[in-house]
Amino acid sequence: MEGFLSKFMSKAEKDPLVPVGCTATLACLMAGLYTFHTGQAALSQKMMRARVVAQGATVVVLAVGTLAASRMKEPDGKPKGMHPIEWEAIQKANAEKR
C-alpha cells in the first residue's frame, strides 16, 4: 500500500502549483490568526483577504490541472481514465456508423 508521503509526492509532481497554493493559504491563515491574537486588527484583515486570494488561486490551478488532465489521451487514442469497456462500446458505435 502506498503511503501518504509517496502519494503526496506523486501528485505534487503532476501538479506542482497546488501544494504551493496550499502552503500560501496556510501561511496567510496562520499569519492572520497571529496578528489577530496580537491585536493588529487591520493587518489581520489584510492577511485574511490574502488567504482568500491564495485559496481562490489554488482552486483555479486545481481546476485547470483537472481540465488539462481530462483532455489528455493515452497512446491508443483512448481518453485518459476511461474504462476499457466504455472505450470498446464507443469504438463499436463509431464503426457501425461508417
Side-chain angles (χ1 to χ4, degrees):
M1 183 165 171
E2 198 174 12
F4 171 77
L5 189 59
S6 60
K7 269 188 188 178
F8 178 80
M9 293 307 290
S10 69
K11 289 184 184 213
E13 286 175 7
K14 291 178 187 172
D15 205 354
L17 293 178
V18 172
V20 170
C22 291
T23 303
T25 301
L26 182 63
C28 290
L29 175 65
M30 298 307 290
L33 289 174
Y34 177 75
T35 55
F36 181 74
H37 178 70
T38 59
Q40 302 171 21
L43 184 56
S44 176
Q45 184 71 317
K46 287 180 184 176
M47 294 306 297
M48 288 299 145
R49 288 180 185 156
R51 176 195 56 86
V52 170
V53 169
Q55 196 169 357
T58 303
V59 170
V60 168
V61 166
L62 187 61
V64 168
T66 301
L67 180 64
S70 72
R71 292 177 180 240
M72 293 178 77
K73 296 189 183 283
E74 292 181 2
D76 62 355
K78 177 180 82 168
K80 198 166 188 145
M82 182 179 279
H83 196 277
I85 294 173
E86 184 180 4
W87 178 245
E88 287 175 19
I90 290 172
Q91 294 294 85
K92 218 181 263 187
N94 287 340
E96 289 174 1
K97 287 181 183 177
R98 293 181 198 162

